[in-house]
Amino acid sequence: MGHREDLLEGAKRCLLEKGFVRTTARDIVKESGTNLASIGYHYGSKDTLLAQAYVALAEGASDEWGVPQELPGADGSLERFRAVVAGITDSLGKPGSIWHLSIELVTMGDKLPVVREYLAAAQREAGRGFIGMIMGGEEPPADDPSVDTLGKFFSVLVLGLIAQHTFDAEYSPSADELTEGLRQLMASARKAE
């Protein structure tokens, strides 16, 4: 691995151990075995490096969610929704979970403008990923209108779930409870039509 990759891996470990605000450039250098100048050369700034490390962690997190490769149920079904949400809820309390970093970003975003800007763009991609998992098939193109509706819906739901678990893990809903709530909402909407 070169310095660029070493820095990214070191930044990931620092994020999981210390979070955004408490991670210093020296922490990353020590963890990666590189030097301070490498951060500026390869990433421009410590904050940009941390943002990219967070995105890399988030992209890899779906593998750790326990979401099966072959999801049950038909595309867009409640069964499939439940399987994806169960993977997320099951991972919330695990050691090394990246979810606490999401909450740190929400609360400290205005103090981390470079990170916030970079991750705002990445959030749109997360919505596309949720659409692909739950609705089935390929992720829609970035300009597909569903990214601004369904993608945002799934992203807000997941962020709310993370916030609730962080605030009060005992009251945090299970995948079964969220799926039942969605089922009730859908049934009510059908009656109202």
Side-chain angles (χ1 to χ4, degrees), residues 74-86:
D75 292 352
S77 67
L78 287 173
E79 185 179 8
R80 179 163 294 186
F81 172 85
R82 190 216 164 278
V84 171
V85 172

Side-chain angles (χ1 to χ4, degrees), residues 71-82 84 130-137 150 154 179 182 186 190:
L71 290 164
D75 292 352
S77 67
L78 287 173
E79 185 179 8
R80 179 163 294 186
F81 172 85
R82 190 216 164 278
V84 171
F130 285 121
I131 292 171
M133 279 190 283
I134 296 171
M135 303 308 288
L150 202 51
F154 290 139
T179 304
L182 181 57
M186 291 168 52
R190 274 189 226 108

Side-chain angles (χ1 to χ4, degrees), residues 41-53:
Y41 178 77
H42 290 290
Y43 291 94
S45 72
K46 174 195 79 153
D47 286 347
T48 301
L49 169 56
L50 288 175
Q52 289 186 27

Side-chain angles (χ1 to χ4, degrees), residues 63-97:
D63 298 335
E64 299 168 16
W65 290 350
V67 176
Q69 293 291 3
E70 295 296 321
L71 290 164
D75 292 352
S77 67
L78 287 173
E79 185 179 8
R80 179 163 294 186
F81 172 85
R82 190 216 164 278
V84 171
V85 172
I88 296 167
T89 57
D90 292 348
S91 72
L92 287 171
K94 289 183 179 175
S97 171

Side-chain angles (χ1 to χ4, degrees), residues 30-31 41 44 47 62 106 108 150 152 170 183 190:
K30 181 179 177 184
E31 190 65 36
Y41 178 77
D47 286 347
S62 62
V106 169
M108 298 298 293
L150 202 51
K152 287 180 179 178
E170 287 185 33
R183 187 200 62 74
R190 274 189 226 108

